[in-house]
Amino acid sequence: MKKEVKKLSLLAILIAISLVFSYVDSLIVLPFAIPGIKLGIANIVIIYTLYKLGIKESIIVSLLRLILSSILFGSLLTFGYSLAGAILSLTLMIILKYKTSFSMVAISILGAIMHNFGQILVAIILMDTKEIILYLPLLAITGTISGIGVGLLSVLVLKYTKGLELN
Amino acid sequence: MKMKALIKKHLLEIIIIGSILLIALLALLMINLAMPKGDYVVVIYDKVEVERYPLTAEISKNLSYEDNHYNYLIIKDGKAFILQASCPDKICVKQRPISKVGQTITCLPNKLVIKIVGKTSTVDMVS
């Protein structure tokens, strides 16, 4: 029972932190912005949850973050984009974590690229403009850069929260 | 020595991410080199072409197809860009001026796409 309460509180805290990170993400827009370029620091929380708590919990945090951040800082439209990106990205990260020995940085990079890929896919379908795919190469590069940063930060966060175990 | 072991341990992921980057860079290069300069600026609202301007013209026009939604389009020196917009994220405003065939400026909140096309290519009116 105590463990359950602890887990519930931890999940709530994680969702709250990821929301703050989403907000910071939406504030920092790079000057040469093309749709979809973001720091993606909210992914630190998702990676943390995936490594610390597991698949089910990471899905919960990811989905609730999406729904809440769309209500608070976005719109129904941004929800659609982010949802496709988040589902693809999280699925890939889960597969990579459990089926390969990939490092956290690599998983973060590939997750970021997959997130961009999902958003582009939805944009192409919604806007019916296939030229949007031309953004993909640039997004893959920026995704790699931000993915390295997010991955390294996730490594650090996990290292310094070692004492906080769930029992 | 430690570095070598580290690289060996992560060889597969380095190769995968490296090749993705390489392909992306090559694609980016090809897109930039292969694209001819366009002839027309096409404005697409809700999947339908609504305006078409020659890229050589000097135009500043307020594109507004819904109440309280607008994008201020500028065509100048053979390039098109959005000066101002009503959307909250202003991504269309921050995008660089476009001039080559296939380049787009998209404003998702306003369902607007600004696209550069060549003389021969036409935008699909029916979708």
Side-chain angles (χ1 to χ4, degrees):
Chain A
M1 182 61 198
K2 205 180 163 212
K3 200 179 164 184
E4 289 288 291
V5 176
K6 233 178 168 174
K7 195 170 154 188
L8 191 67
S9 323
L10 186 57
L11 277 177
I13 292 169
L14 286 172
I15 292 165
I17 297 173
S18 72
L19 269 178
V20 174
F21 283 3
S22 305
Y23 182 59
V24 175
D25 264 345
S26 71
L27 284 183
I28 303 171
V29 183
L30 298 164
F32 55 92
I34 64 168
I37 294 190
K38 265 184 189 168
L39 286 181
I41 51 172
N43 205 28
I44 296 172
V45 183
I46 309 299
I47 293 175
Y48 177 91
T49 315
L50 182 60
Y51 274 78
K52 203 87 171 183
L53 298 173
I55 297 176
K56 205 173 81 195
E57 288 79 2
S58 67
I59 294 171
I60 293 172
V61 173
S62 183
L63 274 181
L64 280 175
R65 176 193 82 82
L66 247 157
I67 295 166
L68 289 171
S69 71
S70 295
I71 293 171
L72 290 171
F73 330 118
S75 62
L76 199 67
L77 205 70
T78 51
F79 177 72
Y81 286 92
S82 314
L83 185 68
I87 289 174
L88 283 176
S89 157
L90 189 58
T91 312
L92 183 74
M93 291 200 294
I94 289 170
I95 293 170
L96 289 177
K97 183 188 181 274
Y98 288 96
K99 296 286 175 201
T100 68
S101 59
F102 278 23
S103 70
M104 212 182 287
V105 178
I107 290 178
S108 157
I109 293 170
L110 292 169
I113 294 175
M114 207 60 182
H115 198 280
N116 287 331
F117 183 68
Q119 283 180 313
I120 295 243
L121 221 60
V122 175
I124 290 172
I125 295 165
L126 280 188
M127 305 293 274
D128 201 22
T129 307
K130 46 189 182 309
E131 280 86 351
I132 297 175
I133 195 125
L134 295 178
Y135 288 135
L136 194 59
L138 193 60
L139 282 176
I141 294 166
T142 57
T144 307
I145 297 166
S146 69
I148 291 171
V150 166
L152 289 173
L153 279 171
S154 306
V155 173
L156 282 178
V157 169
L158 272 147
K159 194 176 150 197
Y160 286 109
T161 52
K162 258 206 174 118
L164 305 165
E165 298 304 333
L166 252 191
N167 43 47
Chain B
M1 271 308 119
K2 210 184 157 196
M3 192 71 194
K4 237 179 185 170
L6 206 68
I7 289 174
K8 202 173 175 188
K9 195 182 159 203
H10 300 291
L11 193 62
L12 183 64
E13 52 202 89
I14 292 170
I15 289 172
I16 291 175
I17 293 165
S19 42
I20 291 177
L21 271 183
L22 200 69
I23 292 167
L25 279 172
L26 281 176
L28 210 60
L29 201 70
M30 268 162 58
I31 290 167
N32 268 316
L33 289 180
M35 288 294 184
K37 224 169 154 26
D39 299 298
Y40 293 101
V41 179
V42 172
V43 178
I44 300 157
Y45 167 69
D46 208 5
K47 301 179 186 178
V48 181
E49 177 178 337
V50 283
E51 317 262 5
R52 178 179 281 248
Y53 307 110
L55 199 54
T56 46
E58 296 246 337
I59 285 166
S60 49
K61 197 163 192 287
N62 196 19
L63 306 168
S64 185
Y65 304 104
E66 284 168 65
D67 288 344
N68 302 322
H69 288 271
Y70 69 89
N71 295 70
Y72 204 87
L73 172 74
I74 304 273
I75 304 174
K76 209 182 156 195
D77 303 327
K79 285 178 176 166
F81 60 96
I82 302 287
L83 187 68
Q84 266 186 340
S86 59
C87 48
D89 50 13
K90 299 275 185 286
I91 281 171
C92 53
V93 180
K94 283 169 191 137
Q95 274 188 257
R96 284 188 173 168
I98 54 172
S99 61
K100 290 179 170 176
V101 173
Q103 283 186 316
T104 53
I105 293 176
T106 44
C107 181
L108 301 172
N110 291 357
K111 289 184 244 161
L112 202 73
V113 179
I114 313 285
K115 190 154 108 176
I116 305 287
V117 297
K119 269 206 173 76
T120 44
S121 63
T122 46
V123 179
D124 217 0
M125 298 283 284
V126 199
S127 48

